[in-house]
Amino acid sequence: DAGVIQSPRHEVTEMGQEVTLRCKPISGHDYLFWYRQTMMRGLELLIYFNNNVPIDDSGMPEDRFSAKMPNASFSTLKIQPSEPRDSAVYFCASSPPGLASYEQYFGPGTRLTVT
Amino acid sequence: SQELEQSPQSLIVQEGKNLTINCTSSKTLYGLYWYKQKYGEGLIFLMMLQKGGEEKSHEKITAKLDEKKQQSSLHITASQPSHAGIYLCGADIEETSGSRLTFGEGTQLTVNP
C-alpha cells in the first residue's frame, strides 16, 4: 500500500487567500484524522471522521477552517481566509476499523506558510 | 498538551548508550501509543499498550505501561544514530473519546556517533 497520501507537500500563500489541503487515506481504513503541528502547540487534533462522517470537530480553531470527506478515499481541509498564524504542518492520518482504530498511520504532512 | 507530559524534552546520547523516555498522564489512561517522527516527515507508529503492566518490544525499543502511575516509559537499548528523531506518546484519556488521541509534546533524541 502507498500509505496515506497528502498534497501538496508544501504550500506558500498570502494572507487572505484560500488554501485547500488534500488527503487520501489508506484503502480499507474507515477513520481519518486531520492534525496540525506547530512548535508552540505541538500536535493538535483538528477533526476526525468515521465512515466519511465527522465525529469530533472540537479541535477546529475557527469558522475559517472546514473539512470534508465526500467519499472513503478522499478528504479536504480548507482554510478561508488564511492568516499567518495558520502556518504549520498539517498531517492527515487514517486507521483501520475495529480495535486497531487507534493505530493511526500518518501521511508525510503539508507544510503551510502564510505570509 | 498538559494532559500528557513527556520527559525529557530533549536528550543527547552517545551511540551505544541506553536511554529512557517517559510519558505521564494527568488522567486515566485507556490506551497509550508511541510514535516516532523525523524532521519534516509524518509520524511512524511504533507500538500500542493497552493493559496495565503490558510490555512490548520492537527491535531495540521496549515500552511499558504502568496503569497505576498513569505512565509509560520507552527504553532504547544500545542506541544508534538511526534512533534519532522525535518520540511522541499519544493516549486515549477519555473513556468515551472513541478514536481521539491526545499527544505529548515530544522528546527530541539525538544520538552522536
Side-chain angles (χ1 to χ4, degrees), chain A residues 9 31 33 35 37 43 45 48 56 58 91 101-104 106-108 111, chain B residues 33 35 37 39-43 45 48 50 88 92 97-101 103:
Chain A
R9 290 295 309 275
Y31 284 89
F33 307 81
Y35 289 91
Q37 186 178 42
L43 192 64
L45 176 66
Y48 79 90
D56 185 348
S58 58
F91 289 103
S101 62
Y102 294 96
E103 189 174 322
Q104 299 179 18
F106 282 72
R111 184 171 295 276
Chain B
Y33 305 77
Y35 288 83
Q37 183 181 26
Y39 179 77
E41 299 180 12
L43 280 68
F45 173 78
M48 170 179 68
Q50 288 192 307
L88 293 101
D92 176 12
S97 68
S99 289
R100 183 188 186 93
L101 291 182
F103 282 88

Side-chain angles (χ1 to χ4, degrees), chain B residues 38-107:
Chain B
K38 292 196 172 183
Y39 179 77
E41 299 180 12
L43 280 68
I44 299 171
F45 173 78
L46 295 177
M47 56 191 84
M48 170 179 68
L49 304 165
Q50 288 192 307
K51 299 177 183 177
E54 187 173 10
E55 179 176 322
K56 287 188 176 178
S57 293
H58 174 69
E59 297 179 344
K60 293 185 178 179
I61 301 175
T62 301
K64 299 179 183 179
L65 178 62
D66 186 330
E67 213 168 47
K68 290 182 181 179
K69 291 183 180 179
Q70 298 177 174
Q71 182 180 63
S72 177
S73 60
L74 185 85
H75 185 76
I76 299 177
T77 304
S79 58
Q80 300 171 356
S82 61
H83 288 128
I86 301 171
Y87 289 82
L88 293 101
C89 62
D92 176 12
I93 57 175
E94 298 172 20
E95 193 168 9
T96 57
S97 68
S99 289
R100 183 188 186 93
L101 291 182
T102 299
F103 282 88
E105 295 184 349
T107 295

Side-chain angles (χ1 to χ4, degrees), chain A residues 25-33 49-51 72 94-105, chain B residues 48 99:
Chain A
I26 294 173
S27 177
H29 285 193
D30 62 354
Y31 284 89
L32 184 138
F33 307 81
F49 296 82
N50 179 223
N51 291 319
S94 69
S95 65
L99 294 176
S101 62
Y102 294 96
E103 189 174 322
Q104 299 179 18
Y105 294 81
Chain B
M48 170 179 68
S99 289

